[in-house]
Amino acid sequence: MRVAFHNLGCKVNSYELDIVRQQFLEAGYEEVPFDQEADVYIVNTCSVTNIADRKSRQMLHRAKRENPAAVVIAMGCYVETAKDVLSDGAVDLAVGNKDKKNTLAILRAYEKSAVEAGSTGEIASGAVLLKHAGRTRADIKIQDGCNQFCTYCIIPYARGRIESRPQDEILSEIRQIAADGIREVVLSGIHISSYGRDEGRQPEDALPELLDRIAEIPDIERIRISSVEPGIMTQRFIDRAARNEKLCPHFHMSLQSGCDRTLKRMNRHYSADEYYESVLRLREAYGDPAITTDVIVGFPDETQQDFEASKAFLEKVNFYQIHVFKYSRRSGTPAATMDGQIPEREKARRSDILLELTAQQAAAYRAARIGRQEAILPEDAVLVDGRKWFRGHTERYVEYLIPEDAAASGRMVRGTAAWLKEEGGLMVLKDLQF
Ligand code: SF4
């Protein structure tokens, strides 16, 4: 039996799809590319914007076109937010977020016609471990759900309230993937800054405690946090986190706007000044951490003045990288019906301005590393002008190349940062130590 997978959306989605993929491969399925004929197509959908809904539908229809006899499974957030996914002729089975790990059992039950489509079959309980053959970095989901209700976001409706994964379950999964060669774990979730809150704990205590326990696993050399809110960056959190030597000084701290008026209408729970205080605390503790962020342009009624205020704030913080998103209307959210929707052309203009800014800031951050001692974990092979190199990232998520033979051990490689091609921004490590 052949199975094809397609993932849309965030890191949590991709982590969850990897678990489903592993189950199918262990059950003897052969994975084929999504544009080839398969017996089962699984689309891990996203519903974060109307465009994501549309892409989810498109991929489901593409699968059915590829092989009308195949079982097409819609999985994830679009299943939760769309009224009736099964009424769409392309979809045979719909699996919600909480049932993803049961997908194989649901499919088997469907095939035997033992249960009605959409309900869960019997499954073995407990986390399913991933094999990360040849990989050194892996995402680990530590929580799900969100209670924040930002006015542009459908996620709290699609994934429900916060739910932290038990610490022991996370640790046991990490121990096993470390035995498979994983050296760096990236803690992922929908709202990591809420970790532990559903169990009555303060995230600024529960998260550092989890980080410390992960750091005790000998083969894990690095821990990265995928995304946090500025509110968790209190002095108490930073003091404790900074003592954890395996925690990377790379913090992706969601901003969304540098303008207070816009932040308020987005229902974000901080001001630009409070965000900046978190940045200063991180810089005080880490010297030169990589601070990256997400920003939305063209939120309803974002005036030119608001946009200028947001841009000025981005210049002041001087981020390593900014992920720029054009506001996309998501039906079912308060922002979708707000007055003052911004024309697409204006959103694109604002986006281009910020993309140029982030290109400059990122180039300056990377250039400042030249001549320093850096360390990377080899990740994957790349070809540059016909020569094979290995690529990896430092703890600050700066990318370097190393010669192919230097990557063989899969362990950390240290060296001096230098340009391979300054024009293309390609950097290498030289004078290597292992
Ligand atoms: S914090 Fe806001 S943007 Fe992030 S998932 Fe929750 S509601 Fe959505």
Side-chain angles (χ1 to χ4, degrees):
M1 293 290 276
R2 293 152 305 168
V3 62
F5 301 96
H6 186 80
N7 190 64
L8 291 146
C10 62
K11 274 185 179 219
V12 171
N13 242 20
S14 127
Y15 168 91
E16 291 169 344
L17 184 62
D18 274 350
I19 290 177
V20 174
R21 172 183 285 114
Q22 191 63 31
Q23 288 177 330
F24 274 76
L25 298 185
E26 280 175 3
Y29 280 79
E30 177 199 350
E31 182 173 355
V32 295
F34 200 82
D35 58 0
Q36 287 183 18
E37 191 174 308
D39 302 294
V40 179
Y41 290 90
I42 299 181
V43 181
N44 199 18
T45 60
C46 174
S47 189
V48 70
T49 60
N50 287 351
I51 293 170
D53 275 357
R54 195 164 66 231
K55 280 192 187 151
S56 300
R57 279 193 300 272
Q58 278 169 352
M59 293 314 292
L60 292 162
H61 281 265
R62 186 180 299 177
K64 206 47 161 183
R65 270 200 311 275
E66 204 65 58
N67 179 9
V71 179
V72 175
I73 304 178
M75 205 166 74
C77 287
Y78 176 61
V79 172
E80 307 281 353
T81 58
K83 291 252 172 333
D84 184 6
V85 180
L86 285 171
S87 68
D88 185 317
V91 179
D92 299 296
L93 273 172
V95 178
N97 280 316
K98 296 228 176 336
D99 281 331
K100 279 181 183 174
K101 62 182 183 298
N102 307 339
T103 304
L104 182 57
I106 293 171
L107 172 65
R108 284 182 170 150
Y110 171 82
E111 284 168 342
K112 283 191 214 155
S113 302
V115 293
E116 286 182 18
S119 69
T120 58
E122 275 194 28
I123 50 133
S125 62
V128 181
L129 298 170
L130 304 179
K131 298 266 185 293
H132 297 278
R135 286 168 58 192
T136 50
R137 186 169 66 224
D139 289 331
I140 298 293
K141 179 173 144 184
I142 65 165
Q143 71 82 235
D144 206 339
C146 180
N147 295 357
Q148 300 297 108
F149 291 93
C150 299
T151 53
Y152 52 83
C153 182
I154 197 76
I155 296 296
Y157 309 96
R159 286 197 173 254
R161 299 294 82 77
I162 51 171
E163 200 177 318
S164 304
R165 255 183 103 187
Q167 204 182 74
D168 287 343
E169 192 179 295
I170 298 169
L171 292 168
S172 136
E173 180 173 352
I174 295 177
R175 273 188 213 102
Q176 295 197 44
I177 58 172
D180 282 344
I182 292 296
R183 299 288 165 257
E184 176 178 321
V185 288
V186 184
L187 305 191
S188 306
I190 298 297
H191 196 253
I192 292 178
S193 303
S194 293
Y195 183 73
R197 198 181 290 289
D198 49 315
E199 290 156 358
R201 302 198 59 198
Q202 287 298 322
E204 61 182 349
D205 296 324
L207 192 53
E209 184 184 303
L210 176 66
L211 293 168
D212 287 348
R213 292 200 59 199
I214 297 171
E216 288 165 7
I217 300 173
D219 280 333
I220 294 300
E221 299 186 51
R222 279 186 191 157
I223 311 163
R224 207 180 286 279
I225 306 178
S226 68
S227 176
V228 282
E229 299 282 319
I232 198 172
M233 290 296 168
T234 59
Q235 200 58 53
R236 185 153 119 226
F237 175 87
I238 293 175
D239 285 347
R240 186 146 171 209
R243 287 199 295 274
N244 186 323
E245 291 182 356
K246 292 186 180 177
L247 179 64
C248 294
H250 169 206
F251 300 96
H252 186 83
M253 206 159 59
S254 302
L255 172 66
Q256 310 305 4
S257 172
C259 161
D260 285 344
R261 194 178 88 89
T262 309
L263 284 172
K264 215 175 200 109
R265 285 177 311 109
M266 287 176 163
N267 194 31
R268 302 290 290 176
H269 304 278
Y270 50 83
S271 65
D273 281 350
E274 284 163 346
Y275 186 101
Y276 194 59
E277 282 163 20
S278 299
V279 170
L280 294 182
R281 279 194 285 271
L282 280 170
R283 288 190 172 147
E284 171 78 25
Y286 286 95
D288 190 18
I291 302 180
T292 57
T293 200
D294 299 323
V295 169
I296 296 172
V297 293
F299 188 74
D301 201 31
E302 183 190 58
T303 62
Q304 179 60 24
Q305 210 178 357
D306 295 337
F307 171 69
E308 291 296 341
S310 191
K311 176 170 169 265
F313 185 75
L314 298 173
E315 286 165 346
K316 173 168 132 178
V317 173
N318 194 12
F319 288 96
Y320 168 31
Q321 276 171 346
I322 305 166
H323 299 161
V324 182
F325 297 91
K326 287 178 270 187
Y327 169 72
S328 175
R329 221 165 165 167
R330 180 60 182 85
S331 44
T333 61
T337 52
M338 282 180 182
D339 292 338
Q341 299 288 330
I342 309 287
E344 288 306 317
R345 202 180 320 149
E346 178 58 15
K347 287 183 206 169
R349 188 187 71 83
R350 294 179 190 180
S351 168
D352 287 347
I353 292 170
L354 295 192
L355 287 173
E356 199 180 316
L357 173 67
T358 186
Q360 286 164 7
Q361 291 181 338
Y365 189 84
R366 287 156 51 80
R369 310 305 303 172
I370 294 293
R372 298 198 197 198
Q373 285 296 299
E374 298 273 64
I376 64 161
L377 276 168
E379 289 163 29
D380 41 25
V382 291
L383 271 184
V384 180
D385 297 338
R387 181 176 169 190
K388 196 169 167 190
W389 298 79
F390 262 79
R391 192 171 71 114
H393 290 85
T394 66
E395 54 180 8
R396 289 177 169 76
Y397 214 66
V398 178
E399 184 181 299
Y400 290 96
L401 303 178
I402 53 171
E404 187 182 3
D405 55 357
S409 73
R411 289 270 171 183
M412 199 88 81
V413 178
R414 294 181 167 73
T416 310
W419 291 116
L420 178 65
K421 285 184 175 192
E422 187 169 353
E423 219 170 274
L426 278 179
M427 295 161 87
V428 286
L429 292 185
K430 56 179 196 180
D431 306 328
L432 301 180
Q433 304 146 34
F434 302 94

